[in-house]
Amino acid sequence: MNRRGLLATVGAATASALAGCGYAPGGGDVLDDAQVGPTGGMPWTTTSIDTTGDRITYVTSGESAFDSSADTSLYIADRSGSQLERYTYGAASEAVVLDPSAGRAYLLATSTGQPDEEAATGVATVDLNREDRSHPYVRVENIVSGEAIPDGELHSGRGVLAANRSGAYCLLEDGVAGVGPDDERWRQDVEGAQRVVADQQVVVATEHGVRAFEDGSERWQSDTGERPAVATAGEWTAVHADGELRLFDADGTVEWRTDLTPGDPQLRFEDDWLFVEWGSRLAVVDVEDGAVQWEESVGVSAPAVWDGHRAYSVRDCEVVATDEGGERWRRQLELDECVVVEGWIDGDRVAFLFESGAMRWLRRTDEEPGLLW
């Protein structure tokens, strides 16, 4: 397994003197901003958002206040916030995911988009690589019968819909369905299904365990005794339950076990690290051997960004930088809401994407801004 080199903190830039003094850019300074999707939403509009690679997809959906029609607008942007494409779909939708190659977007739709048909749960496939872009209008291509599980507190549609390079996977009340670009490919009954994630395998978290599928066939399952937190990347699946973190390979063999704080965390893979986030506490675990590289009560909300020795996260619209020595800096953002979808390291900056579609880049350096004398 390749080891990721730790990112070094970039030294603070020196500002030119102005009339005997100057401003020193410091850690937490907002260096840039952008907006994905519309700059303002209507009261009836709901949104969902997903990211993969260098692409961001942002969806607005809902019924018009002026008539009973419902539609969906899907915006595709890059990581700088520059809009690349816009698509429309003539029905309401609840969730969106991108496949890892960013070649397709999948919408979990609540109707077929055709007035002469009854409403049904379906998956609308948007081909982002098609040559004919003169008609950016899509319809449901895959109808999945059965009611999808409501998203509940899982924002951005994460949990009820997942995708990999083979297709999309929709969580249903009675199991999970796998769909390709043109049809439903397989279905499995899964009692108590709560969440679906996908990469090399499709992994479903249930009320008491996990079940993993590949090409529609079950590969392995594990009993956890309680509802687990799950994440998958490549051949690896991480499972946290009852204060224990386990890493499974593609055959369901446990590679290692690590005792961690009990609770219901979020799990995510990033390069050679596994992030475990309980909301106000963050642990960074080495995927290779399960060694905990860092665990700290950072007093901030998930998801956090880690650069190898420091965590950056947001709570109550404040960005906080924390390392083993404690809090390094704190900055207030001028935003109405600050629910983080994803954050990432961008050179000497840390970037955050919010549910509203707002993006902010902040300097990572330690020095506090002030006057140079």
Side-chain angles (χ1 to χ4, degrees), residues 102 129 196 235 256:
N129 294 324
V196 60
E235 64 177 312
W256 47 255

Side-chain angles (χ1 to χ4, degrees), residues 30 37 39 46 49 100 126 207 209 226 277 291 294:
V30 177
T39 56
T46 59
I49 193 167
V126 185
E207 294 176 348
E226 64 180 26
E277 297 165 308
W294 193 68

Side-chain angles (χ1 to χ4, degrees), residues 82-266:
S82 299
Q83 183 172 313
L84 305 177
E85 301 288 345
R86 179 183 177 183
Y87 300 84
T88 57
Y89 166 62
S93 60
E94 297 179 353
V96 63
V97 292
L98 283 165
D99 77 0
S101 65
R104 291 188 179 91
Y106 297 94
L107 293 167
L108 179 61
T110 54
S111 66
T112 65
Q114 301 178 39
D116 57 341
E117 297 186 21
E118 295 183 0
T121 300
V123 178
T125 305
V126 185
D127 184 357
L128 305 181
N129 294 324
R130 64 184 180 186
E131 295 181 359
D132 180 11
R133 300 181 182 274
S134 60
H135 302 287
Y137 187 86
V138 297
R139 293 182 180 273
V140 166
E141 298 180 10
N142 309 304
I143 300 300
V144 180
S145 60
E147 293 297 325
I149 293 180
D151 200 19
E153 297 180 355
L154 293 171
H155 68 81
S156 307
R158 298 180 178 180
V160 296
L161 189 65
N164 60 17
R165 294 180 184 272
S166 299
Y169 308 92
C170 177
L171 200 65
L172 306 174
E173 290 183 349
D174 57 353
V176 62
V179 297
D182 302 311
D183 57 7
E184 180 178 325
R185 293 179 172 176
W186 57 266
R187 180 180 298 223
Q188 285 280 354
D189 293 334
V190 181
E191 183 177 355
Q194 299 291 312
R195 183 180 177 88
V196 60
V197 294
D199 198 343
Q200 179 177 316
Q201 295 185 335
V202 179
V203 181
V204 180
T206 71
E207 294 176 348
H208 305 291
V210 292
R211 295 176 63 182
F213 303 92
E214 195 167 341
D215 297 326
S217 299
E218 185 171 84
R219 287 291 304 273
W220 57 271
Q221 60 177 290
S222 178
D223 182 22
T224 59
E226 64 180 26
R227 184 176 65 182
V230 297
T232 187
E235 64 177 312
W236 308 115
T237 296
V239 177
H240 179 280
D242 196 24
E244 183 181 64
L245 179 66
R246 291 181 287 170
L247 186 75
F248 294 84
D249 67 11
D251 295 320
T253 301
V254 178
E255 294 291 311
W256 47 255
R257 303 169 184 262
T258 298
D259 291 331
L260 285 176
T261 303
D264 185 22
Q266 296 182 33

